Amino acid sequence: MRLSLVTQPPGYSAPLHHHPGQGFVYMLEGTAESAYGDEAVKRFRAGDHWTEPADVAHRVARNPDAQAVRRFLVFSVNRPGEPGTVSP
């Protein structure tokens, strides 16, 4: 199990990736846009939370705000030695 505090700058967009283990995300500040697999893009703000599915393409992971940072906590469950994020 891993708990990570993540801070991303304004306008940040992650490349296509997936998470080998399931994750639980809690937004602390800012705005997030996220989509896994074929689902529609969802927008989250401080106080929102969601689940990251294991082994599903995380095709949209971005901070759409041009001025504010995005800060969130991720609690993830991985096998020993397994990375939290894998790029194709």
Side-chain angles (χ1 to χ4, degrees):
M1 290 184 261
R2 182 179 305 151
L3 180 63
S4 304
L5 172 62
V6 181
T7 301
Q8 295 172 333
Y12 176 83
S13 185
L16 178 66
H17 63 280
H18 73 275
H19 305 282
Q22 188 167 15
F24 305 92
V25 182
Y26 180 77
M27 284 289 294
L28 297 170
E29 112 184 59
T31 304
E33 289 182 339
S34 185
Y36 301 89
D38 294 334
E39 74 179 13
V41 175
K42 296 176 185 168
R43 184 170 276 209
F44 302 96
R45 292 182 174 76
D48 291 340
H49 57 88
W50 69 95
T51 302
E52 292 183 326
D55 294 320
V56 175
H58 197 174
R59 61 182 181 78
V60 177
R62 63 182 170 229
N63 175 359
D65 194 304
Q67 297 182 354
V69 299
R70 166 185 160 186
R71 191 178 322 264
F72 56 98
L73 287 172
V74 180
F75 174 78
S76 58
V77 181
N78 297 83
R79 290 177 286 276
E82 183 175 59
T85 302
V86 177
S87 296

